[in-house]
Amino acid sequence: MNWFSDLFFGEGVAHSILMLAVVIATGIALGKIKIKGISLGVTWILFAGIAFAHFGMRIDTGVLHILQEFGLILFVFSIGMQVGPGFFSSFKKGGLTLNMLAAGIVLLGVAVTCIIHLVTGLSISTMVGIMSGAVTNTPGLGAAQQAYMDMTGTDNPDIATGYAVAYPLAVVGIIGTILAFRYIFRINLAREEENALAFDSSKESVARQLSLRVTNPSLDGMKVSQIHDLIQRNFVISRIRYADGTVEMVNAETVLHTGDYILVITSQAAVPAITVFIGEETDMKWKQLNTQLISRKILVTKPEINGKSLSQLRLRSFGVSITRVSRSGIDLVASPVLQLQLGDRITVVGTQQAITEVEKKLGNSLKRLNHPNLFPIFAGIMLGVILGSIPFAFPGIPQPVKLGLAGGPLIIAILLSRFGPKYKLVTYTTESANLMLREIGIAIFLACVGLNAGENFVETIVNGGYKWIGYGILITLIPILIIGIIGRKICKLNYFTLSGLIAGSMTDPPALAYSNDMAGNDTPAVGYATVYPLTMFLRVLSAQILILLSA
């Protein structure tokens, strides 16, 4: 039975792969356990790794570091590709307020970490590990470990130990604080939900279908192109029903008359102005009209279409009207300057023959879309590793700052997913493919971190490490309480938006799940998504800077 002992406690490739698989499988199985609806999820992989390492199961150090860093790169790159399209738009309108509050939570967490370090004398590297666990931010842990390795050439298991000690109560503490605010502020959930729906500005740019009867006499005999110049709003007139009952598609040369019925697609924000200017809203049943015109959604799957605007494609020359473009579940108004991306669904109105020609132009092949685009992934990782390895010198910091293997790929992924289509680069991946890549990355990373930290974990806790739990609770609660009060009392945030803000600023999916269940609407998710990109970036950057400042 020597082969069995060597397989589990020896060395070699088979042993390393087996240990990794056993740790990940065990952690995932434990992650299904919920206590009062709360689960630690994939973080159980970390604790499984610690347990196996404590009982003598190891992986070669060199192999361990390679797997750990590669898993981290896959994880943060996938996150960047996911949040990139909305990263810059998250600073607009009310998003700026939410992001400033989220940045305040991050900075207060860093401040509390530094104060505890000065008071207790605990090393800053250990404190950064505790901070990463206290804010449930795994990329921050990876960034700290990478920065420490670059600076010293050695690994510090106390960083991972601090993370593991602080993480469990952090999840409970974040959800507990959200619940506490409900009673502190005497929240009426029904009233908050009503207010959230009434003031939901996130849907103002979403396309809405509007049926109008032309009643403005000044528009009689005017072309659609002239009306566009007068109203100066982004809208598309899809179809028109004349007084004699004839239904036609609309183009720039179509002439309107009083009494005509038109189908308009525009943004929610533009509805009042367009309605007042053109006429009155009606309940015309366009689908029930006897006409040869049909409406169909066509999938953009040809790579050469990626990055081109609707005006460049000249789709109207096929005799169709383009009304909406659906992207990531959101309907956008089909303006001429809108650039298409792979995976967009275009709503086209026209005859069956004309629509068939447009399908040939755009692709409309789901099979082609499901084919993975590996080039932007590995090209992006290559550029991210290069960017992360560039040293930046700052006054007062003894060591040059590097973005590292967490920060570099994250920034490149954000830039690629946001600007890639403009330069004809296909960056589209299906949501399931992105999630698979991300989950594989985080599973490998956490397994390696646990196996690396497990040997001395129990000894560290017994010899004073139990105090780290208290430090972690302080780092979790103080920033949330301060910013939560400011957000509610001064910024007058809706309770559900505040809940999403707190969950996003702590990058904590369990807290978001709890908030969504409590709200019964998507308001917490909107707040979470608004602050998540900036928060993730600041968490990664602050963890590295603290490590470098300790040199």
Side-chain angles (χ1 to χ4, degrees), residues 482-516:
I482 293 174
I483 298 299
I485 293 172
I486 293 173
R488 180 66 181 182
K489 293 297 184 181
I490 299 178
C491 299
K492 307 298 182 183
L493 292 183
N494 179 273
Y495 174 66
F496 298 138
T497 301
L498 181 64
S499 300
L501 162 69
I502 292 172
S505 64
M506 306 299 274
T507 61
D508 187 27
L512 174 62
Y514 172 80
S515 300
N516 281 337

Side-chain angles (χ1 to χ4, degrees), residues 256-427:
L256 300 187
H257 299 281
T258 54
D260 291 342
Y261 290 87
I262 57 176
L263 182 62
V264 181
I265 291 86
T266 186
S267 63
Q268 180 66 42
V271 166
I274 291 175
T275 303
V276 169
F277 189 83
I278 294 179
E280 60 185 14
E281 189 169 357
T282 71
D283 60 351
M284 173 68 70
K285 308 298 183 183
W286 292 92
K287 292 184 178 180
Q288 297 178 8
L289 298 178
N290 186 16
T291 174
Q292 292 184 337
L293 299 179
I294 60 175
S295 176
R296 182 171 298 170
K297 289 188 176 182
I298 298 177
L299 197 61
V300 178
T301 59
K302 284 191 175 181
E304 58 268 25
I305 302 296
N306 191 64
K308 288 186 177 181
S309 66
L310 286 171
S311 61
Q312 288 177 306
L313 294 175
R314 303 184 183 277
L315 296 178
R316 286 185 178 272
S317 63
F318 293 98
V320 299
S321 177
I322 311 300
T323 61
R324 295 184 297 280
V325 175
S326 179
R327 180 178 299 162
S328 300
I330 298 175
D331 284 340
L332 306 174
V333 180
S335 63
V337 297
L338 181 64
Q339 290 181 313
L340 298 182
Q341 298 180 15
L342 213 66
D344 286 349
R345 291 182 182 270
I346 301 178
T347 301
V348 180
V349 178
T351 63
Q352 178 64 56
Q353 183 178 357
I355 288 179
T356 301
E357 294 299 318
V358 176
E359 285 182 337
K360 294 178 182 178
K361 176 80 172 180
L362 300 179
N364 203 33
S365 172
L366 187 60
K367 182 179 180 181
R368 180 184 295 178
L369 194 63
N370 285 334
H371 186 76
N373 298 298
L374 295 180
F375 175 77
I377 295 175
F378 285 98
I381 290 175
M382 176 189 70
L383 295 174
V385 171
I386 293 173
L387 178 63
S389 302
I390 298 174
F392 299 94
F394 291 96
I397 300 180
Q399 294 285 336
V401 175
K402 293 181 182 180
L403 293 172
L405 296 182
L410 177 64
I411 291 176
I412 291 296
I414 289 174
L415 295 176
L416 277 180
S417 60
R418 174 62 180 85
F419 299 107
K422 290 187 177 182
Y423 298 97
K424 309 296 186 295
L425 181 64
V426 177
T427 59

Side-chain angles (χ1 to χ4, degrees), residues 57-330:
M57 297 183 181
R58 305 277 190 273
I59 291 180
D60 177 76
T61 304
V63 174
L64 189 71
H65 283 305
I66 292 174
L67 290 172
Q68 178 176 314
E69 301 305 334
F70 186 64
L72 176 64
I73 289 172
L74 289 179
F75 177 60
V76 298
F77 190 84
S78 302
I79 287 177
M81 293 296 287
Q82 178 193 21
V83 305
F87 181 78
F88 297 97
S89 61
S90 67
F91 296 99
K92 297 178 181 178
K93 297 185 179 180
L96 181 60
T97 300
L98 294 183
N99 275 291
M100 291 303 98
L101 291 172
I105 290 179
V106 176
L107 295 177
L108 280 173
V110 172
V112 173
T113 300
C114 292
I115 290 171
I116 295 175
H117 160 67
L118 294 174
V119 172
T120 65
L122 194 62
S123 71
I124 194 66
S125 56
T126 302
M127 284 306 309
V128 171
I130 296 173
M131 179 185 74
S132 297
V135 299
T136 69
N137 189 257
T138 308
L141 167 66
Q145 291 183 313
Q146 166 81 76
Y148 190 89
M149 175 67 71
D150 290 343
M151 186 175 66
T152 64
T154 59
D155 192 17
N156 185 351
D158 284 351
I159 299 177
T161 302
Y163 174 92
V165 168
Y167 189 100
L169 281 182
V171 175
V172 177
I174 295 167
I175 295 175
T177 307
I178 293 173
L179 182 61
F181 279 146
R182 177 178 172 181
Y183 297 98
I184 293 173
F185 299 130
R186 298 179 180 178
I187 299 296
N188 183 313
L189 294 183
R191 187 182 306 145
E192 292 296 314
E193 183 173 3
E194 182 180 337
N195 293 338
L197 295 175
F199 296 100
D200 187 3
S201 62
S202 67
K203 295 183 174 62
E204 288 186 356
S205 61
V206 176
R208 177 189 164 184
Q209 189 170 281
L210 185 68
S211 183
L212 297 175
R213 180 174 178 268
V214 181
T215 60
N216 186 350
S218 63
L219 301 182
D220 192 73
M222 190 174 291
K223 294 180 179 180
V224 170
S225 58
Q226 295 173 308
I227 297 174
H228 268 283
D229 294 336
L230 289 174
I231 300 182
Q232 294 185 341
R233 294 290 195 278
N234 187 18
F235 69 94
V236 175
I237 301 179
S238 171
R239 277 169 276 186
I240 183 170
R241 181 182 182 272
Y242 296 110
D244 62 1
T246 305
V247 179
E248 290 183 356
M249 286 188 306
V250 176
N251 56 47
E253 300 301 314
T254 300
V255 178
L256 300 187
H257 299 281
T258 54
D260 291 342
Y261 290 87
I262 57 176
L263 182 62
V264 181
I265 291 86
T266 186
S267 63
Q268 180 66 42
V271 166
I274 291 175
T275 303
V276 169
F277 189 83
I278 294 179
E280 60 185 14
E281 189 169 357
T282 71
D283 60 351
M284 173 68 70
K285 308 298 183 183
W286 292 92
K287 292 184 178 180
Q288 297 178 8
L289 298 178
N290 186 16
T291 174
Q292 292 184 337
L293 299 179
I294 60 175
S295 176
R296 182 171 298 170
K297 289 188 176 182
I298 298 177
L299 197 61
V300 178
T301 59
K302 284 191 175 181
E304 58 268 25
I305 302 296
N306 191 64
K308 288 186 177 181
S309 66
L310 286 171
S311 61
Q312 288 177 306
L313 294 175
R314 303 184 183 277
L315 296 178
R316 286 185 178 272
S317 63
F318 293 98
V320 299
S321 177
I322 311 300
T323 61
R324 295 184 297 280
V325 175
S326 179
R327 180 178 299 162
S328 300
I330 298 175

